[in-house]
């Protein structure tokens, strides 16, 4: 067991579902690209490195502002120490930025596509979450898996201040390319190509 340091146990309860959902990536030695938005001390990050990175050419891109309004200490240092402790730090690209800028840059400048994307930024305001999801979705390979966190987090009174509205909008608008794997506090989806039906209405009054 490696000597990781964590102060929060947010991730632990999700592990059984991650094991199942990501079993294809876990059980082969293929080179994969993973994107993670929101890393905190790196608990999920080291899970990804320990469990999914069997191939030395696999790459993990992480994006975090390292500004969390809910905690008050320098967890960036802890994150970097934990990544080092994993022994796979050379496979990790750390981008310290707001996700919108970083993702736009990734989309424009690199032709990289990801096999798995995990979105867990602390910016939980619906419009920011929607931005992050949509740009990330465009960076996901066909057949790729995306996990969105905090779906049921309803800390604020106003609907637009919580992530649910963004996640529901995304699920509705992209439904023809989405297979929902599970929908709980986290939501997991697979990007699929489906025949898109276009059924003309009986009412032809628009002719
Ligand atoms: C709940 S924590 C992530 C926990 C992490 N997934 C884990 O495994 O422990 C949320 C993270 O989002 C980061 N964050 C804060 N503002 C952000 C923003 N605007 N966009 C993306 N991430 C942000 C915080 O720095 C924090 O590390």
């Amino acid at each position: 067991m490696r000597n990781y340091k964590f102060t929060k146990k947010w991730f632990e309860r999700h592990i059984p579902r991650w094991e199942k959902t990501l079993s294809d990536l876990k059980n082969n030695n293929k080179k994969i690209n993973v994107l993670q938005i929101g890393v905190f001390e790196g608990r999920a990050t080291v899970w990804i490195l320990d469990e999914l990175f069997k191939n030395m050419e696999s790459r993990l891109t992480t994006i975090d502002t390292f500004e969390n309004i809910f905690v008050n200490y320098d967890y960036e240092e802890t994150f970097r120490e934990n990544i080092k402790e994993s022994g796979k730090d050379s496979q990790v690209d750390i981008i310290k930025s707001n996700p919108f800028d970083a993702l736009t840059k990734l989309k424009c400048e690199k032709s990289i596509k990801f096999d798995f994307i995990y979105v867990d930024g602390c910016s939980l305001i619906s419009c920011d979450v929607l931005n992050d999801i949509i740009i990330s979705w465009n960076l996901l390979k066909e057949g790729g898996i995306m996990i969105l966190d905090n779906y049921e987090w309803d800390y604020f009174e106003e609907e637009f201040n919580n992530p649910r509205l963004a996640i529901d909008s995304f699920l509705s608008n992209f439904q023809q390319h989405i297979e929902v794997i599970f929908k709980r506090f986290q939501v997991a989806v697979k990007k699929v190509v489906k025949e898109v039906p276009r059924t003309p209405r009986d009412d032809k009054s628009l002719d």
Side-chain angles (χ1 to χ4, degrees), residues 10 38-40 44 64-68 75 99 118 120-123:
W10 295 324
V39 295
F40 192 52
D64 201 302
T65 54
F66 292 108
E67 288 164 9
N68 189 334
Y75 51 89
Y118 174 40
D120 186 20
C122 222
S123 167

Side-chain angles (χ1 to χ4, degrees), residues 23-189:
S23 59
D24 280 356
L25 297 182
K26 189 171 149 76
N27 296 327
N28 74 45
N29 287 332
K30 226 177 58 174
K31 168 189 183 305
I32 55 169
N33 291 321
V34 178
L35 171 66
Q36 182 181 358
I37 301 173
V39 295
F40 192 52
E41 296 165 336
R43 178 63 190 91
T45 317
V46 299
W47 187 91
I48 291 166
L49 294 172
D50 289 342
E51 302 297 328
L52 306 184
F53 275 36
K54 307 280 154 55
N55 186 310
M56 283 171 63
E57 285 185 50
S58 291
R59 303 259 359 139
L60 171 61
T61 303
T62 66
I63 302 172
D64 201 302
T65 54
F66 292 108
E67 288 164 9
N68 189 334
I69 52 172
F70 300 105
V71 293
N72 192 17
Y73 79 101
D74 181 9
Y75 51 89
E76 179 179 353
E77 200 180 314
T78 311
F79 170 73
R80 289 180 186 273
E81 281 168 8
N82 282 329
I83 298 308
K84 204 161 195 160
E85 181 66 22
S86 76
K88 296 186 178 155
D89 48 318
S90 63
Q91 291 175 263
V92 184
D93 298 310
I94 302 171
I95 304 177
K96 186 172 177 175
S97 159
N98 77 64
F100 186 78
D101 292 348
L103 290 168
T104 313
K105 214 163 166 214
L106 272 181
K107 177 88 182 79
C108 294
E109 291 177 5
K110 299 204 179 180
S111 54
I112 188 164
K113 287 265 185 179
F114 296 95
D115 299 273
F116 169 47
I117 298 180
Y118 174 40
V119 182
D120 186 20
C122 222
S123 167
L124 299 163
I125 302 167
S126 184
C127 57
D128 291 338
V129 175
L130 191 58
N131 271 334
D132 294 351
I133 295 174
I134 290 176
I135 315 181
S136 299
W137 182 251
N138 283 283
L139 294 168
L140 187 67
K141 287 182 188 170
E142 268 169 31
I145 289 173
M146 183 153 98
I147 295 184
L148 309 168
D149 217 309
N150 306 305
Y151 179 61
E152 292 172 348
W153 191 82
D154 56 358
Y155 189 78
F156 293 107
E157 284 285 336
E158 305 81 11
E159 191 182 37
F160 57 80
N161 274 325
N162 299 317
R164 182 190 290 264
L165 182 64
I167 296 175
D168 279 337
S169 306
F170 162 70
L171 292 176
S172 299
N173 279 284
F174 289 80
Q175 59 184 282
Q176 71 273 28
H177 301 302
I178 287 176
E179 189 181 296
V180 177
I181 303 168
F182 60 80
K183 192 172 168 196
R184 303 171 73 96
F185 193 84
Q186 294 187 332
V187 176
V189 294

